[in-house]
């Protein structure tokens, strides 16, 4: 089971990483905070101080077509915001 799915690279998370030393990740919905902390420390070689998680439910949508009403939904996901110790940084662009 891979705990970390992918990092969140948006303008808001980039500003948080520069100002407050926080990084965001999409994680496995079954992972807990201790597993997320261990995965980030092992993958990026930093020391994690705090982990906050958020569960997002699926977005439900309805389309009206010729054949009738079509219902659909997106996948649910879990985000983790990780506070890294002072002086440590995570460089997502080093492997490009």
């Amino acid at each position: 089971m891979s705990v970390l799915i992918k990092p969140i690279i948006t303008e808001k998370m980039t500003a948080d990483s520069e100002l407050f030393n926080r990084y965001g990740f999409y994680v496995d919905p079954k992972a807990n905070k201790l597993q997320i902390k261990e995965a980030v420390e092992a993958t990026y070689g930093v020391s994690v101080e705090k982990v906050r998680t958020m569960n997002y439910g699926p977005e439900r949508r309805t389309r009206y077509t010729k054949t009738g009403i079509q219902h659909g939904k997106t996948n649910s996901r879990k985000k983790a915001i990780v506070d890294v110790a002072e002086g440590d940084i995570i460089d997502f662009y080093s492997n490009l």
Side-chain angles (χ1 to χ4, degrees):
M1 175 178 98
S2 178
V3 176
L4 299 177
I5 295 174
K6 66 179 182 178
I8 300 171
I9 302 174
T10 59
E11 288 184 29
K12 188 173 183 179
M13 284 310 305
T14 304
D16 264 3
S17 66
E18 292 172 358
L19 296 175
F20 303 112
N21 226 13
R22 291 184 195 140
Y23 298 93
F25 296 93
Y26 287 116
V27 296
D28 182 38
K30 297 177 184 172
N32 61 25
K33 291 182 180 185
L34 294 175
Q35 292 171 336
I36 295 168
K37 178 181 177 179
E38 291 170 1
V40 171
E41 288 177 346
T43 305
Y44 296 104
V46 295
S47 57
V48 175
E49 292 182 346
K50 188 177 185 180
V51 176
R52 288 173 283 176
T53 59
M54 296 167 267
N55 285 310
Y56 285 94
E59 295 178 14
R60 299 178 192 283
R61 295 195 174 121
T62 304
R63 288 186 304 179
Y64 300 97
T65 62
K66 287 183 193 177
T67 59
I69 298 174
Q70 301 290 323
H71 298 285
K73 69 179 182 71
T74 60
N75 293 333
S76 61
R77 41 180 198 223
K78 186 173 190 176
K79 285 185 187 179
I81 307 298
V82 177
D83 288 355
V84 178
E86 192 68 33
D88 288 342
I89 59 168
I90 296 175
D91 188 17
F92 295 128
Y93 302 107
S94 64
N95 295 339
L96 296 178

